[in-house]
Amino acid sequence: MSLGVITLEKNKCMIVKITGDIDHHSSEEIRLDVDRAYDRSGCKNIIFDFSGVGFMDSSGVGMVIGRYKNAAKNNGKVAIANMNRDLSRIYEISGLGKIVGGFKTLDEAERTLNGKY
């Protein structure tokens, strides 16, 4: 599956929809795309939509943590929505769940990050 990264803004959150695998080959490209879009946006928070992601390795975990650090500099937060069972397991085992919120839907993530939940 080829890599796809789409960013859009919704209610002060930047939504990052990724399709494809997040591994050492793709994580740098994703990082660059997300950082460029985030710097141009007026958003504080970042929500990753993993509905199109089938696999993520430690490079993907590192990419998300790096975006968490960038958002934290702007008093923002990061969340991940729509993880499949395998990604949820990586999320928990890696400790990512201790710093980045995990949600079933984009709407739930957006409401929580914006304090409307």
Side-chain angles (χ1 to χ4, degrees), residues 38 44 67-77:
Y38 186 70
K44 288 186 356 179
R67 308 308 50 82
Y68 165 81
K69 289 178 180 179
N70 286 351
K73 291 176 188 174
N74 293 319
N75 297 314
K77 298 176 186 169

Side-chain angles (χ1 to χ4, degrees), residues 2 23 35 54 81 105:
S2 65
D23 57 21
D35 286 352
T105 68

Side-chain angles (χ1 to χ4, degrees), residues 5-17:
V5 179
I6 298 170
T7 59
L8 59 103
E9 297 177 29
K10 180 182 176 192
N11 298 326
K12 299 179 186 173
C13 291
M14 187 174 82
I15 311 294
V16 180
K17 182 165 180 56

Side-chain angles (χ1 to χ4, degrees), residues 42-73:
C43 299
K44 288 186 356 179
N45 301 320
I46 301 170
I47 301 171
F48 288 96
D49 178 356
F50 277 10
S51 60
V53 176
F55 171 82
M56 179 174 72
D57 68 9
S58 60
S59 301
V61 172
M63 182 276 300
V64 173
I65 291 172
R67 308 308 50 82
Y68 165 81
K69 289 178 180 179
N70 286 351
K73 291 176 188 174

Side-chain angles (χ1 to χ4, degrees), residues 25-96:
H25 296 293
S26 63
S27 60
E28 180 67 11
E29 182 180 339
I30 296 167
R31 182 191 70 78
L32 291 170
D33 289 348
V34 172
D35 286 352
R36 273 189 235 122
Y38 186 70
D39 290 344
R40 285 191 310 261
S41 77
C43 299
K44 288 186 356 179
N45 301 320
I46 301 170
I47 301 171
F48 288 96
D49 178 356
F50 277 10
S51 60
V53 176
F55 171 82
M56 179 174 72
D57 68 9
S58 60
S59 301
V61 172
M63 182 276 300
V64 173
I65 291 172
R67 308 308 50 82
Y68 165 81
K69 289 178 180 179
N70 286 351
K73 291 176 188 174
N74 293 319
N75 297 314
K77 298 176 186 169
V78 172
I80 302 172
N82 299 317
M83 289 180 276
N84 66 32
R85 193 163 75 180
D86 291 338
L87 293 175
S88 292
R89 186 162 184 216
I90 292 167
Y91 170 82
E92 291 300 327
I93 291 171
S94 69
L96 190 56

